[in-house]
Amino acid sequence: MELIASSSTFCPVATPPPTFSFPPRSSSSTASFPFLPPSLRGCACRAILSTHTTQKEKNGMLGARSSDLDQLSGLTALSPLDGRYWGKVKELAPFMSEYGLIYYRVLVEIKWLLKLSQIPEIVEVPSFSEDAKSYLQGVIDGFSVSDALEIKNIEKVTNHDVKAVEYFLKQKCQSNAEVAKVLEFFHFACTSEDINNLAHGLMLKEAMGSVMFPVMDKIIKSLCNMAKDNAQVPMLSRTHGQPASPTTLGKEMAIFAVRLSRERKELSQVEFLGKFAGAVGNYNAHVVAYPDVNWPQIAEEFVKSLGLSFNPYVPQIETHDYMAKLFHSLVQFNNILIDFDRDVWGYISLGYFKQITKAGEIGSSTMPHKVNPIDFENSEGNLGVANGGLSHLSMKLPISRWQRDLTDSTVLRNMGVGIGHSLLAYKSTLQGIGKLQVNEARLSEDLKQCWEVLAEPIQTVMRRYGVPEPYEKLKEHTRGRAVTKESIRDFIEGLDIPEAAKTNLLKLTPDTYIGAAVELARTVEHAVDLL
C-alpha cells in the first residue's frame, strides 16, 4: 500500500496509481500527426485526437474512469493543495490535516486522564506508576496513520468523531493492566468541544510556530537584504502612476520589510486560548461527581499545561475570538504581501528588475521570448484565495447560537485551506525574489528623462528665501511641458536667492535628489528588530 497524504486528510490508496490504456503502436500512426515534434513521433504514450465522440463512447469513458477516480491521489484530489501543490505545503499536514486533528485529540484525552490521576479527591484514578505513564506517553509518541485510520473505521459505526477516539483509547489501553482499571475515566466529564477546542488550539499554535512563522521571517529577511543591498540605487517614484520625487530601490523594499514585521509581531502576540468547562461552561457534571474539587482551578492548570492560555468564561465552545484575531492578522499580512507582489510585478514590467532564467522553462506557449513574473502572480492569486477563506473564518467563528450550534465544526475543518494557500503564496514570493536582478541602467534612464521632479526642491528653497508665488512659478514652468536639464538650470540661474543656495540647487540631479532614503534603507534591520 502507498500512503497519499493530504492537507485535509490521509487516505491509503493502492499501488500503483491509476493507469490508462493506450492503443497499440502502429507504423502509420505518426502519419496522421505531422505536427508532433520528432521526439514524440512513434511514441506509444501519445494523445489520440478525435474530432467526433458519440454519446455511447462518452458514457463508456466515464464508466471506465469511475473506479480510478474513487481513490485519492494527486490527480483526483479536489483541492490543488492536495494535488498539484502538495510538495510545497505538505509540512502543514502533521498539524492541519484530519490526521493532525485526530492526533491532538488523542493527546488531550490521554493528558486529561493523567491529570485526573494527580487529583487526590479522585481516588478512583490513583497515581499511575512510571511504567503506566510511559505506556500512555508511548501511545501519543507512537501514534501513526494506521492508528488514525482505525479511529476513522470506528467512526463509521459511531458516526461521532470524538467518541471514536475515546473508544480507540479504551481498546488500545486494555493491554496495560494498570490503565485498564480506569478506562471509563477517558473523556471523564468532557463534552466533545472540550477535546476539540484544545486540539484546534494546539494545531494552530504548532502550525504557526513550526511552519508559518519561519517562512514569514524568511520573506522579511529577504526584503531587509534587498533594502540594504540597494540602499543607494536611485529610482524614480510614481504617484498616481506619474513621475514623482525620486527614492531608492532599497528604501522601497524597506517599507515592506517593516510593514510585514509589524503584522508578524501582531501574529506572534495572539494568545491561543482553551476551555475545559464541560457541556455549557459551568462544570455541571464535574461538581455533581466530585463536589469537593476546585474544578475551575483544575481546568486552568490543565489547559496551561498544554501550552495554551485559559479562557474561563465560555458556553459549550471556546468562543473563537482569538482565532478571529489570528486569521484577521494573517489576512492583513497577506494584503501587504499582495501589495509587494503587485509593486514588483510593475517594476519588472518597467524593466527595473530582470529575472534569472532557468534552462528548459517556457514562459508562453506561443511567444518564445517571454519571461513572465509568474512567481509573483501565483503568490498574488493564492493570497486572494487564502484571504477569502481566512476572512470567512474570522467573521463566522465568533458567532454561535445560544450556548452552541454546529456551524463552527465544519468551518474549522477548513483552517488548513487558508493557511495552506498562504504558505504556498509565501514560497512563491520567495522564489520570485530569488530570481530578481536589479537593472540599474534602466533605473538611471528613467531618472535622466524626468528633470521635472526637481520642481519640488526648487520651489521649497524659493519659499525659504521669500520668493513670491514659488509654487505657481514652478507650475507654470513645468506642468504639461517638456522639462530638460538646461531649462531647469536656466530657471535656477534666474532666481533671486543667495548664491550658496543657488549653487546647491544647480548641483541637484534627479538621481541625487533622494533625501534620507539611503539611511532609511541601511537601518531597516534596526527598525525591524525594534518591532
Side-chain angles (χ1 to χ4, degrees):
M1 299 284 284
E2 178 189 5
L3 192 67
I4 301 296
S6 156
S7 63
S8 57
T9 184
F10 277 72
C11 181
V13 299
T15 302
T19 58
F20 298 89
S21 299
F22 294 90
R25 205 171 188 172
S26 170
S27 59
S28 61
S29 61
T30 57
S32 302
F33 304 99
F35 53 83
L36 286 174
S39 60
L40 294 183
R41 292 176 190 168
C43 175
C45 298
R46 63 186 181 277
I48 303 301
L49 306 182
S50 171
T51 57
H52 176 72
T53 304
T54 66
Q55 188 60 47
K56 183 177 180 180
E57 288 170 332
K58 290 179 182 177
N59 292 338
M61 286 189 291
L62 291 174
R65 292 174 181 171
S66 62
S67 60
D68 294 323
L69 297 177
D70 282 343
Q71 299 295 338
L72 177 64
S73 73
L75 291 175
T76 60
L78 293 181
S79 167
L81 293 179
D82 302 320
R84 181 180 184 88
Y85 303 128
W86 170 246
K88 296 181 179 181
V89 298
K90 62 183 179 182
E91 60 261 54
L92 283 171
F95 313 110
M96 302 310 299
S97 63
E98 180 84 357
Y99 166 84
L101 174 58
I102 295 172
Y103 166 78
Y104 284 112
R105 283 169 172 164
V106 168
L107 182 149
V108 172
E109 293 277 13
I110 291 175
K111 294 292 186 182
W112 179 233
L113 182 65
L114 288 167
K115 179 64 177 177
L116 292 173
S117 74
Q118 299 168 6
I119 303 173
E121 293 87 349
I122 304 181
V123 296
E124 291 80 5
V125 187
S127 296
F128 288 119
S129 67
E130 290 303 316
D131 286 344
K133 291 178 183 177
S134 178
Y135 177 84
L136 289 169
Q137 187 62 45
V139 175
I140 297 172
D141 295 340
F143 190 76
S144 66
V145 172
S146 296
D147 291 329
L149 288 171
E150 187 174 342
I151 291 172
K152 295 300 290 184
N153 286 330
I154 297 172
E155 185 186 343
K156 291 177 182 177
V157 178
T158 63
N159 197 30
H160 196 288
D161 47 5
V162 177
K163 203 67 178 175
V165 172
E166 178 189 343
Y167 287 167
F168 166 81
L169 289 172
K170 288 179 177 178
Q171 176 183 313
K172 186 87 170 177
C173 293
Q174 284 178 349
S175 59
N176 184 283
E178 193 173 344
V179 181
K181 295 176 183 179
V182 294
L183 292 179
E184 289 305 325
F185 282 84
F186 275 120
H187 204 71
F188 177 76
C190 294
T191 184
S192 296
E193 185 58 19
D194 285 332
I195 309 303
N196 282 335
N197 90 95
L198 298 182
H200 287 133
L202 292 170
M203 291 166 67
L204 284 170
K205 185 176 182 180
E206 293 298 323
M208 293 302 297
S210 299
V211 181
M212 300 301 287
F213 284 154
V215 180
M216 290 176 172
D217 292 341
K218 284 183 181 178
I219 293 174
I220 294 168
K221 180 65 176 176
S222 295
L223 293 176
C224 285
N225 290 338
M226 289 181 71
K228 292 185 298 179
D229 292 344
N230 300 285
Q232 298 186 43
V233 177
M235 182 180 81
L236 183 68
S237 293
R238 282 177 168 79
T239 57
H240 309 280
Q242 306 304 308
S245 300
T247 181
T248 71
L249 180 59
K251 184 261 180 176
E252 299 312 302
M253 299 301 104
I255 291 173
F256 286 106
V258 173
R259 292 177 68 193
L260 291 172
S261 295
R262 191 174 290 116
E263 287 308 314
R264 166 68 170 83
K265 178 185 177 182
E266 290 291 322
L267 284 161
S268 68
Q269 292 178 338
V270 173
E271 278 191 287
F272 294 83
L273 299 177
K275 57 84 64 173
F276 210 72
V280 292
N282 301 326
Y283 309 94
N284 303 49
H286 308 63
V287 172
V288 171
Y290 292 97
D292 297 329
V293 174
N294 185 342
W295 286 109
Q297 179 182 330
I298 293 296
E300 182 174 2
E301 291 172 357
F302 178 60
V303 171
K304 288 183 175 179
S305 75
L306 298 175
L308 301 174
S309 297
F310 181 60
N311 185 355
Y313 289 93
V314 292
Q316 183 177 104
I317 63 170
E318 199 290 314
T319 48
H320 305 318
D321 297 323
Y322 85 88
M323 288 187 179
K325 184 175 182 180
L326 176 73
F327 297 138
H328 182 75
S329 293
L330 267 175
V331 167
Q332 183 58 15
F333 185 96
N334 291 351
N335 278 339
I336 295 169
L337 199 58
I338 288 173
D339 195 22
F340 171 77
D341 288 336
R342 290 179 177 177
D343 275 10
V344 174
W345 187 97
Y347 294 144
I348 292 171
S349 180
L350 291 170
Y352 291 178
F353 286 115
K354 296 179 181 178
Q355 296 180 95
I356 299 172
T357 57
K358 184 177 179 180
E361 282 191 348
I362 293 173
S364 167
S365 63
T366 187
M367 294 175 282
H369 68 284
K370 296 291 291 294
V371 183
N372 295 328
I374 57 172
D375 297 305
F376 299 103
E377 293 170 336
N378 282 337
S379 175
E380 180 183 341
N382 279 291
L383 290 169
V385 173
N387 283 359
L390 293 170
S391 295
H392 178 66
L393 288 167
S394 65
M395 291 186 292
K396 186 273 158 296
L397 288 176
I399 300 171
S400 185
R401 295 172 181 86
W402 294 339
Q403 282 66 55
R404 195 268 163 94
D405 64 42
L406 201 65
T407 54
D408 67 328
S409 177
T410 188
V411 173
L412 285 165
R413 292 181 181 276
N414 289 277
M415 293 190 301
V417 177
I419 293 174
H421 279 283
S422 296
L423 177 62
L424 180 59
Y426 301 164
K427 290 187 174 183
S428 293
T429 294
L430 282 169
Q431 186 167 306
I433 290 173
K435 294 179 181 178
L436 294 177
Q437 285 184 325
V438 178
N439 186 354
E440 292 192 40
R442 181 70 187 87
L443 286 157
S444 178
E445 179 186 345
D446 263 6
L447 285 165
K448 290 176 181 178
Q449 294 177 358
C450 289
W451 282 82
E452 63 267 26
V453 299
L454 297 185
E456 181 190 39
I458 295 170
Q459 66 97 7
T460 303
V461 171
M462 291 168 67
R463 287 175 185 271
R464 175 184 176 182
Y465 293 107
V467 178
E469 298 184 334
Y471 179 88
E472 289 73 18
K473 286 184 170 69
L474 264 298
K475 177 182 174 183
E476 176 67 23
H477 186 75
T478 60
R479 197 171 192 215
R481 297 184 178 186
V483 179
T484 65
K485 176 181 179 180
E486 290 72 23
S487 65
I488 283 288
R489 290 181 66 86
D490 289 344
F491 185 87
I492 295 171
E493 291 284 5
L495 292 176
D496 184 16
I497 60 176
E499 284 302 315
K502 188 178 296 186
T503 299
N504 287 335
L505 286 178
L506 288 170
K507 290 179 180 178
L508 272 183
T509 63
D511 60 332
T512 62
Y513 178 50
I514 53 177
V518 173
E519 186 63 19
L520 287 167
R522 282 177 174 168
T523 58
V524 64
E525 282 187 335
H526 178 66
V528 167
D529 289 341
L530 288 177
L531 290 172

